[in-house]
Amino acid sequence: MPNAVQSSTRRTCEACLLAAGLLALPLAGGPALADLPATAAQMKRSVVAVGTYMAVRQTQKQPRGTGFVVAPNHVVTNAHVVPRKLDEGRRETVAVYRPGADNRTEMRPAKLVAADREHDLALLRFEGGSLPAVTLGRTADIREGQWAAFTGYPLLGALGLYSATHRAVVAALAPIAAPVGSGRELTPEMIKRLSAPFKILQLDATAYPGNSGSPVYDVDSGRVIGVINSVYVKRTRESAIKDPSGISYAIPVDHVRALMSKAGLR
């Protein structure tokens, strides 16, 4: 009975490999280890573009960045993606966009619910049916060296609503206020940050302007651990180190939780 012998031998070998830690099993309650394609596909359902809409404008739809659904009809993005002042006379509104059927763009009007300017975060409520919400992680669980990914719309002007996923390592959890050589190098914004510093995630991947507001998530579990932010953070840190390539920053997820709590969301 060669088949029975082979089957028994195979089971014995697998048991040996498991004992030696050389045969990995999928994590319970989540996708298989490092199954980024499956995790990214799930995340894409919750990612939207954020911008404005004006019926009388030559280009009616103007997406400016990325956002992601955190609760029924609620999206988180960077505060700098949402204009502080809208042209009410011309009926300009905040809007979220997502790919629709037949290569059309689906637009949904939205309103600003709450903002955290200190951490450059905004919470929007959009009209229409609900979209799948992400699962939020906790900053305390983030580890330097862990694999992460972010999904968003990096080049909205050139590529349109075609999301892209980038893989990265969490290189560091570092203070937002970078050290300087002398007081003459300090800017007003840097002084403000020094008075109330907080940690940011440093990622070894390149984010583009349209990625502002993109969710950063753990590759294995899909839990969101941060929000991509390039403009806000770079104004503070990159004055000391001149635009390094391949480095991006993200606001830790606990600040998202605080903003949602402020708005009465769980």
Side-chain angles (χ1 to χ4, degrees):
M1 299 177 65
N3 290 341
V5 173
Q6 290 173 359
S7 177
S8 176
T9 302
R10 184 169 61 251
R11 286 197 299 269
T12 302
C13 290
E14 289 175 351
C16 293
L17 289 170
L18 281 169
L22 297 177
L23 185 62
L25 288 177
L27 294 177
L33 184 64
D35 189 7
L36 180 55
T39 308
Q42 183 175 2
M43 187 62 58
K44 285 174 66 173
R45 301 185 306 153
S46 304
V47 171
V48 298
V50 178
T52 63
Y53 177 85
M54 186 189 295
V56 297
R57 186 166 49 200
Q58 184 175 4
T59 304
Q60 296 175 329
K61 303 168 184 174
Q62 286 195 352
R64 299 159 52 100
T66 302
F68 56 98
V69 181
V70 294
N73 295 88
H74 285 80
V75 162
V76 162
T77 186
N78 285 160
H80 75 258
V81 170
V82 183
R84 290 197 180 218
K85 187 175 181 180
L86 298 170
D87 191 336
E88 296 181 1
R90 303 179 72 177
R91 293 181 295 173
E92 183 179 28
T93 63
V94 178
V96 300
Y97 299 94
R98 62 194 300 265
D102 301 323
N103 290 323
R104 295 183 178 181
T105 299
E106 178 187 337
M107 187 279 291
R108 301 192 187 191
K111 289 185 178 181
L112 180 66
V113 174
D116 175 2
R117 303 289 175 186
E118 181 68 18
H119 303 101
D120 196 27
L121 295 173
L123 179 67
L124 309 176
R125 179 178 175 84
F126 61 87
E127 298 179 10
S130 297
L131 298 175
V134 301
T135 301
L136 299 179
R138 295 188 180 276
T139 302
D141 296 331
I142 301 172
R143 295 291 180 265
E144 293 182 355
Q146 77 175 77
W147 280 108
F150 55 93
T151 298
Y153 298 101
L155 299 170
L156 284 160
L159 301 179
L161 289 182
Y162 291 92
S163 61
T165 296
H166 301 264
R167 188 167 183 170
V169 166
V170 178
L173 280 82
I176 190 172
V180 295
S182 68
R184 287 176 296 183
E185 298 177 36
L186 288 170
T187 65
E189 188 155 1
M190 293 174 74
I191 293 172
K192 183 179 179 182
R193 295 287 157 257
L194 285 168
S195 66
F198 64 91
K199 287 190 175 181
I200 54 173
L201 308 183
Q202 180 177 310
L203 309 172
D204 67 342
T206 301
Y208 296 88
N211 280 123
S212 288
S214 296
V216 181
Y217 49 93
D218 176 72
V219 168
D220 299 325
S221 68
R223 293 181 182 274
V224 172
I225 61 174
V227 185
I228 287 288
N229 186 303
S230 57
V231 174
Y232 170 78
V233 175
K234 282 191 176 182
R235 279 204 302 265
T236 301
R237 295 188 67 83
E238 304 310 320
S239 57
I241 45 175
K242 207 173 182 179
D243 263 327
S245 61
I247 296 179
S248 297
Y249 301 102
I251 307 300
V253 68
D254 280 3
H255 299 297
V256 174
R257 288 182 173 274
L259 181 61
M260 292 175 63
S261 178
K262 176 182 175 182
L265 295 175
R266 286 185 164 186

